[in-house]
Structure formats: C-alpha cells, structure tokens
Amino acid sequence: AQTVTQSQPEMSVQEAETVTLSCTYDTSESDYYLFWYKQPPSRQMILVIRQEAYKQQNATENRFSVNFQKAAKSFSLKISDSQLGDAAMYFCAYRNPRGKGAQKLVFGQGTRLTINP
Amino acid sequence: EAQVTQNPRYLITVTGKKLTVTCSQNMNHEYMSWYRQDPGLGLRQIYYSMNVEVTDKGDVPEGYKVSRKEKRNFPLILESPSPNQTSLYFCASRRQGDYEQYFGPGTRLTVT
C-alpha cells in the first residue's frame, strides 16, 4: 500500500520569504500523480499544484513550485514571496492513475504553515 | 457554479442516534468519495463510488454505510455513531480521466 509522510507538523516563515515543505512517499508503482492541497481556516480543500510522475520537469504554478525527486521518492513544495494568505494547513497527496488505487487520494499528515508579518 | 455540497456543515449528536450526511455534486462526475480528517492523520478514505450502484470500501469503512442511487448524490450513513467517529468529513468528486478532485466544504461531526 502507498504511504505519504510529512515530517514537519508545523513551519513558519516571514512574509515575503521563501519556505519549503517536505513530503516523502512510498510506492512500488512507476506511474502516479502527486498533489499539494491547501486547507485554510475555512477548511476548504484547494488544489495548489500537481505532478505526473512520468514528467521530469518540476511543476510550477505562479509562486508555488515543486522539487520532484522520483528516485528518492520526495516531493517538496516551495512557496516563494510568502504572503499572509498562504497561511494554512498543507497536505501532500498521492494517487495511482489507474486500477483500484485510482479512486483514492493517499494523504500525508499535513504541515501547518504560519506566515509572520 | 460547479460545486460539491454537503449538509449539514456542523452536527452534534449522541452515541447510537442514526444520522446521514448528504453530498451532492452538479458536475456529472462519475467518481465520488468520502474522507475523514483527524489531527495528525491527514485525510483517510472511508468509501468510494465509481458510478451509480457501484460502491466499495476505502481504508476506514467500519461504522459507515453509503449508497449511490443517483449519479449526483452520495450520502454517508452512520447507523450507530460512536465517539470515535467524531471527525471532519469531506465528500469529493472527480470526472473519469481528470486529475482534479473537487471537495465539499466539510462537515464537522461531534458524537458525545
């Protein structure tokens, strides 16, 4: 079974600085999807960024980028120019593209990010 | 507006009193799921459905039931709730072949 581990329960960063959230995962599959979700105090789950394992290029969405290391099974999220609105719980998640595992997102434990003004 | 709705958003109940949390999506998605979120554990899948009348267990199905009689609705049923089912519950849906999963706003359930 696939597992996702976020080893940083809490992180904090000064506004306008850069922060990196860590995520490692375990799978025997060669093709899969990885995601970062943001959960602000409203509790809404918001997709931040996704990465397909077959793509070598790291995904980027504006100030958010990932460092995908397939051999190391690592998928970190970098937030540049941190803003107060980035304060939230961040979840790393994994999904198989096909088969029974395609119906399930496997989540990490979450990292609570605080932005200091 | 494309959305997943859940009701109620907050619920406090007592042990053993049957309850249903409704979930509805207006995007004609085939796949629907229920997750529970607990501190330090992230979100875990309870049940999922691939289409009408097709449901299967996720990782933590004990104490829960689901049904999928219509494509848009996927209710979660707790026939005899217990305090260990106190949690934040999310319904989610996805179109077959798409990456993105759409989440509902969450239901905070407290069982005393």
Side-chain angles (χ1 to χ4, degrees):
Chain A
Q2 291 84 14
T3 60
V4 177
T5 302
Q6 295 177 248
S7 57
Q8 306 155 314
E10 296 182 348
M11 293 278 287
S12 63
V13 64
Q14 291 295 124
E15 191 176 3
E17 294 189 346
T18 296
V19 63
T20 298
L21 308 185
S22 300
C23 172
T24 59
Y25 58 94
D26 188 29
T27 183
S28 59
E29 304 290 334
S30 59
D31 191 19
Y32 46 86
Y33 305 138
L34 295 165
F35 306 87
W36 278 98
Y37 281 88
K38 172 184 178 181
Q39 187 181 50
S42 66
R43 304 194 315 231
Q44 184 67 45
M45 294 291 286
I46 302 166
L47 178 63
V48 175
I49 199 166
R50 75 162 190 267
Q51 175 81 40
E52 293 96 313
Y54 66 86
K55 291 185 178 179
Q56 292 187 334
Q57 186 172 7
N58 289 324
T60 298
E61 289 287 344
N62 300 315
R63 297 183 294 106
F64 298 86
S65 62
V66 298
N67 183 5
F68 173 48
Q69 302 289 327
K70 191 172 184 179
K73 297 180 180 175
S74 171
F75 183 60
S76 60
L77 175 69
K78 185 171 83 171
I79 306 174
S80 303
D81 185 25
S82 298
Q83 301 176 358
L84 295 177
D86 295 333
M89 181 74 86
Y90 287 82
F91 291 100
C92 179
Y94 167 104
R95 181 169 72 81
N96 285 333
R98 62 193 66 83
K100 185 173 182 178
Q103 312 313 322
K104 176 173 70 176
L105 281 166
V106 180
F107 286 88
Q109 300 88 339
T111 297
R112 183 169 301 283
L113 178 64
T114 301
I115 311 295
N116 300 313
Chain B
E1 178 189 358
Q3 60 181 350
V4 179
T5 57
Q6 293 178 230
N7 282 293
R9 297 287 310 279
Y10 300 89
L11 180 60
I12 301 174
T13 190
V14 296
T15 299
K17 185 177 181 181
K18 181 178 179 179
L19 66 92
T20 299
V21 183
T22 65
C23 172
S24 183
Q25 49 94 4
N26 63 0
M27 296 167 280
N28 202 37
H29 287 172
E30 294 83 6
Y31 302 151
M32 297 187 75
S33 290
W34 276 102
Y35 293 84
R36 61 177 287 173
Q37 180 181 347
D38 301 291
L41 297 177
L43 284 78
R44 295 174 292 166
Q45 191 183 55
I46 303 170
Y47 268 95
Y48 68 90
S49 170
M50 296 176 66
N51 215 320
V52 175
E53 303 291 2
V54 182
T55 63
D56 204 352
K57 297 177 180 179
D59 292 328
V60 288
E62 295 77 19
Y64 305 95
K65 285 177 57 177
V66 294
S67 67
R68 187 96 180 270
K69 293 183 169 56
E70 303 167 287
K71 197 171 185 179
R72 63 184 294 126
N73 296 325
F74 190 46
L76 179 69
I77 304 158
L78 286 72
E79 298 226 333
S80 184
S82 62
N84 64 12
Q85 292 178 298
T86 292
S87 188
L88 177 59
Y89 291 86
F90 286 97
C91 181
S93 72
R94 178 172 68 84
R95 187 183 312 280
Q96 183 178 1
D98 280 0
Y99 296 108
E100 185 164 1
Q101 189 117 247
Y102 291 79
F103 284 85
T107 295
R108 170 72 69 186
L109 172 65
T110 302
V111 184
T112 61

